[in-house]
Amino acid sequence: DETQIDTGIFSSGFTQVKIDGVSPIVVDARIDARPDSKLTLTAGQVNVNADIVLPSGDITMGGGNVNIADGVLISAAGL
């Protein structure tokens, strides 16, 4: 089993998302968030296969192994 991230969660108005998983967390689709948003992904395994962009935001991933696929952009750069 794995936990898939619903990329629409930020477009629904959420600006802070924290996911703590026992099963691996997988990001398979691009995540775009509003400025100053926060995303925390914690599990024994976090697999990022798509871009994560949070302008002026905060991105935290950990808890075990974090794998980021080749060519994937992880950005919290300012506006």
Side-chain angles (χ1 to χ4, degrees):
D1 289 335
E2 61 187 28
T3 302
Q4 290 280 336
I5 305 301
D6 179 355
T7 59
I9 196 161
F10 283 106
S11 63
S12 298
F14 290 97
T15 58
Q16 295 188 30
V17 176
K18 180 178 181 179
I19 299 173
D20 293 318
V22 174
S23 59
I25 296 173
V26 179
V27 178
D28 278 333
R30 182 181 171 101
I31 296 175
D32 287 297
R34 296 177 181 175
D36 300 314
S37 294
K38 295 182 182 184
L39 174 64
T40 302
L41 304 175
T42 306
Q45 183 79 32
V46 178
N47 298 318
V48 182
N49 302 316
D51 297 347
I52 300 175
V53 180
L54 281 68
S56 299
D58 183 33
I59 302 167
T60 304
M61 293 180 274
N65 295 321
V66 176
N67 299 309
I68 300 172
D70 290 340
V72 168
L73 172 67
I74 307 294
S75 177
L79 296 173

